Amino acid sequence: MTDRDHAPTIVLNGEHHELSSATSALDLIADVTGRELNPDGTPADGGRLGIALAVDGDVIRRGAWSDFTLADGHTVDIVTAVQGG
């Protein structure tokens, strides 16, 4: 068995998360939020998403989510914006 024989695993918001295959950041966010997203990261329903994404400490712009492929060992933080004062 080689390292390529296992599904890619990332750390998502502090917990190990197994990916079914090569997954884009856009696919992961759609899965986590349960919402369909357009290729530019906006919700297909026209609503607001209010999510920021960082991979290994670097913020990934919403417009780059569809081109960013998550890899084994990435640390991913998905943050939801909250209003308040």
Side-chain angles (χ1 to χ4, degrees):
M1 184 174 199
T2 67
D3 286 343
R4 295 181 185 168
D5 293 335
H6 72 278
T9 301
I10 62 173
V11 176
L12 175 60
N13 290 347
E15 297 189 16
H16 289 277
H17 181 86
E18 189 172 291
L19 303 173
S20 57
S21 61
T23 301
S24 71
L26 183 77
D27 293 336
L28 177 67
I29 291 173
D31 184 50
V32 167
T33 62
R35 295 178 71 181
E36 184 178 345
L37 300 176
N38 296 315
D40 66 357
T42 58
D45 62 11
R48 295 182 51 99
L49 193 57
I51 293 224
L53 169 76
V55 177
D56 293 339
D58 293 326
V59 174
I60 308 299
R61 292 180 305 103
R62 180 185 306 247
W65 291 352
S66 61
D67 293 328
F68 192 97
T69 302
L70 297 169
D72 198 40
H74 273 151
T75 298
V76 179
D77 293 303
I78 298 176
V79 179
T80 303
V82 177
Q83 291 182 327

